Amino acid sequence: MAWEKSVEEIRRRREWAAAQGGARNVARQHDAGRLTVRERIVGLVDDNSFQEVGGLTGAVIYENGVAVDATPAPYVCGLANIDGRPVAVGGEDFTVRGGTTASLDKRKGGQGGFSEDLAYEYKIPLVNLIDGAGGSVTSSKRRGHAVFPGIDSFDRSVELLAEVPVVSAVLGSAAGGPAGRAILSHWSVMVEKTSQVFAAGPPVVHRSLGQEITKEDLGGVPVAVGAAGTIDNAAPDEATCFAMIRRYLSYMPQNVHELPPRHTTGDAADRIEEKLLNIVPEERRRPYNMRQIIELIFDQGSAFEIQPDYGKALITSLARLDGHVVGVVANNPMVYGGAMDVGESNKQCHFIELCDTFHIPLIFLVDVPGFMVGEQAERAGVLRAGMRAVYVASQASVPVVTVVIRKCYGMAGMATCHQAGLNLRLAWPSAEWGSLPVEGGVAVAYRREIEQAADPKAREAELEAELREYGSPFRTAEAFGVEDIIDPRETRAYLCRFINAAQGRLKTDQGLKPRAGVRP
Amino acid sequence: MAREEVESEVTGTVWKIETKVGDKVAEGDVLMIIESMKMEIPVLATDDGTIAEFQVEEAEPVAEGQVVVVLDT
């Protein structure tokens, strides 16, 4: 019974840790509609799977050499399981000094530190539960000097992006370091109304620019997820947020040195889907519901959309084909006819690199009229952003299958296939393509001829009709300029066949994906 | 009864309004059609309800995010 007293001391100190920042601060956190970091971890991970590390950290009050009470360090971290697989998890404890950084010998996590090192060394995913405002000027006073930026470096956070899945959930108002940490993730999520994210919060904005603005207007979901695409997805509440994190990780391997797990749902690989035949209207000006096409082709209920509220002319979804994880990149004709603007390009680039890094084959469902046109798009840099999408698609080395649903035009069209590889392109009978659309293209190429015609309008229509005839996908298929034209109902069966066949090759690709060169 | 503002997802021109004030609509029904990028882009009801008000007319230009219809839900 030699160590009984010390063991009892461990138990007592763990109780202090469990009390977090005290009943009053915990109540305040709940009143704000937020859970505490410990409740969050319980809500996120498998039952009883959290093994805390560093639970004894904090500021302890001693009386006559005996510890009588403690304020725990404002960060909780450790090892846990999600769906039976180990993950590193960590989060700020907002009930302790607002989740600011602790002065420990070693960081627990958040921006470097134990949880990040654990994920890196053990090659397991990392989940950051972010609820802190980052550094405080008061630390200068404590240290006696101002710290140079980078004392808590992002280097480990950057290294992790090449090795293991990194997920960040923004669960409070995040500015500075914690906000930056959320961006250095493969996927990020925040909660409607109770979380905001920005480079700097309202007081700094007011002091710098004289602008009066609320936290929500500066960095709430409508701004961060909708307008800016800073954070990928929004959840209506914290419980849904944790379910989304678990869902996201279900598509991911534990690290880049293995393949994503296969989960079959019983959906037959050769399912023929009658509804696909009539989805695309014959009238070319009419759009249709691309999300419905995704639902019908991929394993039932398997589509998990990434960044649904940003760059809305493009849809990016993780999904499964016969249980194998695939990345779906689909143009959305309901928004600007599916044209690629800056947001769409940013979204496509990130998603393709994500899939490429984790050896997830890509399926493009193409209906793109080209890059977005007009003054606004040019001022926003559509050409550079669009060519970046071409560059990133060209660098990807996972198998790619392209299905042309309707339009595939110009340079934006080049970002939808893998010319450097096998370049398997399948077309539906509704497909059409070219360097540029016949409308407008004719007016430029035949300008003189049209101007000199007796009836310029009629001549233009005549030329358009003549050129449109060459636009038949069958003519291109005759020349093997597209690999196949398929019955839309057979799309799933065709894709499943090839994705199954690619599995052996994917095994040979495991490991890091170095990317040389300079993105435009 | 709540007022639901329905926005246009795109910048373009109002091409056709084939519904009228007082019409009952279900979520996903076409309220009007905007012409944008040479395409006929439908504005869909975001909820079940009754059309309370149109804030645009045919041939009028609309901006992305502009409220075009108000529904009573």
Side-chain angles (χ1 to χ4, degrees):
Chain A
M1 306 296 232
W3 294 100
E4 225 171 40
K5 255 181 94 177
S6 295
V7 170
E8 168 60 19
E9 172 112 20
I10 297 172
R11 192 195 57 76
R12 221 153 42 94
R13 287 180 179 235
R14 283 197 179 145
E15 269 176 21
W16 294 333
Q20 304 185 253
R24 217 174 58 182
N25 286 354
V26 169
R28 202 181 290 168
Q29 178 84 350
H30 289 158
D31 289 346
R34 298 178 184 139
L35 299 174
T36 68
V37 64
R38 290 180 182 278
E39 291 165 338
R40 285 168 179 160
I41 292 171
V42 168
L44 170 71
V45 306
D46 294 354
D47 288 349
N48 302 314
S49 74
F50 181 51
Q51 172 61 62
E52 184 172 3
V53 176
L56 304 187
T57 52
V60 176
I61 299 163
Y62 286 88
E63 275 175 17
N64 303 319
V66 178
V68 292
D69 200 3
T71 303
Y75 200 89
V76 177
C77 68
L79 179 67
N81 285 351
I82 288 182
D83 288 335
R85 298 191 297 172
V87 298
V89 61
E92 290 87 4
D93 186 345
F94 194 78
T95 68
V96 181
R97 297 198 313 273
T100 51
T101 40
S103 303
L104 303 171
D105 285 4
K106 170 179 175 177
R107 281 184 73 91
K108 293 179 81 175
Q111 190 175 328
F114 185 84
S115 60
E116 296 208 336
D117 290 345
L118 176 62
Y120 189 81
E121 287 219 10
Y122 283 35
K123 301 282 176 269
I124 56 178
L126 171 68
V127 181
N128 295 305
L129 303 173
I130 294 170
D131 189 2
S136 159
V137 288
T138 58
S139 77
S140 311
K141 196 169 169 187
R142 202 174 60 239
R143 290 170 198 261
H145 65 271
V147 295
F148 197 86
I151 185 165
D152 298 316
S153 100
F154 279 121
D155 291 337
R156 179 62 93 203
S157 314
V158 170
E159 285 173 319
L160 281 165
L161 290 177
E163 292 273 358
V164 299
V166 178
V167 171
S168 290
V170 178
L171 300 165
S173 293
R181 184 66 197 85
I183 311 310
L184 292 175
S185 306
H186 294 112
W187 182 69
S188 57
V189 55
M190 66 190 284
V191 178
E192 283 166 16
K193 304 215 167 60
T194 55
S195 65
Q196 296 85 26
V197 64
F198 22 61
V204 177
V205 170
H206 184 249
R207 180 69 189 269
S208 307
L209 300 170
Q211 288 174 355
E212 285 285 354
I213 187 163
T214 64
K215 281 197 293 194
E216 184 65 14
D217 286 345
L218 192 60
V221 163
V223 178
V225 176
T230 306
I231 299 296
D232 294 325
N233 287 56
D237 50 60
E238 291 199 20
T240 311
C241 175
F242 304 141
M244 289 168 78
I245 293 172
R246 296 174 65 99
R247 177 106 196 260
Y248 173 82
L249 287 174
S250 74
Y251 296 94
M252 291 290 132
Q254 287 292 87
N255 53 58
V256 301
H257 307 280
E258 57 182 63
L259 295 183
R262 181 183 186 196
H263 290 305
T264 46
T265 56
D267 192 356
D270 58 358
R271 171 166 57 84
I272 296 297
E273 193 51 74
E274 286 296 327
K275 287 187 199 136
L276 289 173
L277 189 60
N278 294 312
I279 281 189
V280 178
E282 286 190 283
E283 164 58 59
R284 293 172 68 246
R285 285 165 45 88
R286 295 242 167 94
Y288 51 88
N289 187 347
M290 183 64 94
R291 285 189 177 84
Q292 194 189 355
I293 293 182
I294 294 172
E295 289 298 327
L296 292 171
I297 292 176
F298 297 88
D299 290 3
Q300 273 155 12
S302 75
F304 180 71
E305 197 172 335
I306 306 289
Q307 279 201 305
D309 300 318
Y310 175 73
K312 291 201 269 192
L314 188 83
I315 299 165
T316 49
S317 257
L318 293 166
R320 292 178 186 276
L321 278 173
D322 199 20
H324 297 294
V325 180
V326 294
V328 184
V329 181
N331 307 103
N332 180 7
M334 288 283 195
V335 181
Y336 295 113
M340 284 274 281
D341 206 339
V342 175
E344 285 72 17
S345 176
N346 289 343
K347 179 169 165 176
Q348 177 163 328
C349 288
H350 178 86
F351 187 74
I352 288 179
E353 284 192 350
L354 171 75
C355 291
D356 192 40
T357 295
F358 292 107
H359 318 299
I360 298 171
L362 290 163
I363 310 289
F364 284 94
L365 302 179
V366 184
D367 186 358
V368 65
F371 291 154
M372 187 64 193
V373 299
E375 186 189 352
Q376 204 185 336
E378 300 293 353
R379 278 181 176 270
V382 65
L383 186 54
R384 181 187 279 259
M387 289 313 291
R388 192 183 310 134
V390 173
Y391 180 94
V392 167
S394 165
Q395 271 197 336
S397 58
V398 285
V400 173
V401 184
T402 303
V403 182
V404 185
I405 308 292
R406 189 137 77 176
K407 294 174 186 164
C408 183
Y409 282 102
M411 298 183 289
M414 287 183 219
T416 67
C417 46
H418 195 229
Q419 285 153 324
L422 183 67
N423 208 13
L424 176 57
R425 294 156 301 179
L426 311 173
W428 283 12
S430 46
E432 50 173 288
W433 42 65
S435 301
L436 71 170
V438 168
E439 303 94 339
V442 161
V444 176
Y446 295 93
R447 187 167 57 95
R448 190 157 300 168
E449 192 180 329
I450 290 167
E451 278 172 4
Q452 288 169 356
D455 183 348
K457 273 222 156 124
R459 183 64 194 138
E460 185 175 343
E462 220 173 84
L463 284 163
E464 281 186 7
E466 186 189 328
L467 288 176
R468 196 162 286 128
E469 227 168 85
Y470 296 117
S472 158
F474 288 96
R475 292 193 181 228
T476 310
E478 289 161 19
F480 210 42
V482 61
E483 282 64 32
D484 219 341
I485 301 176
I486 61 171
D487 179 335
R489 293 170 290 192
E490 296 168 359
T491 308
R492 172 178 169 80
Y494 207 121
L495 291 176
C496 283
R497 191 82 201 277
F498 276 81
I499 289 302
N500 270 313
Q503 294 305 309
R505 139 55 199 284
L506 284 165
K507 282 190 194 124
T508 69
D509 283 350
Q510 292 166 67
L512 296 169
K513 280 280 174 84
R515 294 184 185 87
V518 180
R519 275 178 172 220
Chain B
M1 218 155 58
R3 275 166 65 86
E4 171 94 3
E5 296 187 331
V6 183
E7 299 171 358
S8 170
E9 287 221 342
V10 294
T11 299
T13 313
V14 180
W15 188 55
K16 261 188 202 163
I17 303 181
E18 289 177 328
T19 48
K20 56 188 189 307
V21 170
D23 281 3
K24 282 203 186 315
V25 293
E27 184 177 342
D29 283 358
V30 177
L31 301 176
M32 65 171 66
I33 297 169
I34 311 286
E35 186 180 33
S36 175
M37 291 291 283
K38 301 176 242 170
M39 296 286 285
E40 299 163 15
I41 309 291
V43 175
L44 306 178
T46 46
D47 207 340
D48 297 348
T50 310
I51 297 177
E53 177 189 346
F54 288 99
Q55 300 204 341
V56 290
E57 293 171 14
E58 284 187 3
E60 198 177 311
V62 291
E64 185 179 327
Q66 183 181 334
V67 175
V68 289
V69 181
V70 179
L71 300 178
D72 280 328
T73 58

